[in-house]
Amino acid sequence: MDFFQEKHGVVLVEVVNLSRATMKEAEEFKHILLQDIELGWRKIIVDLTDCEFIDSTFLGALVVSLKRITGFGGDLRLVGFQSAVNSMFQLTRMYRVFESFQTRDEAIKSFM
């Protein structure tokens, strides 16, 4: 299972269960996130703890989803950057766009 979700009250956590999140999985994940948003979720956390690498296509799926959810007054936050993933966010300056947290609990509490 590449992706699974956990519900914490009004907060939905989408866990990316991949060591490498690439173009191959990006379209499926974008579809999952957009479907979550269409179902009414407005507080979504994407847990990247298991990801050692994400490519620009997967990052693009996150950006599209963030734009959609903020259009509905919600937010999408990230958690669990490993070194290479953190470097990608620094290089692309996406750390300015996404709010990120060290732990899932911190991310969940940020919505409360």
Side-chain angles (χ1 to χ4, degrees), residues 1-17:
M1 188 165 28
D2 294 341
F3 311 106
F4 63 92
Q5 55 184 223
E6 297 176 358
K7 297 172 183 166
H8 298 268
V10 296
V11 179
L12 178 66
V13 178
E14 284 289 356
V15 179
V16 179
N17 192 28

Side-chain angles (χ1 to χ4, degrees), residues 75-88:
D75 199 9
L76 185 147
R77 299 177 184 172
L78 307 175
V79 67
F81 289 176
Q82 290 193 30
S83 180
V85 174
N86 188 50
S87 294
M88 168 67 101

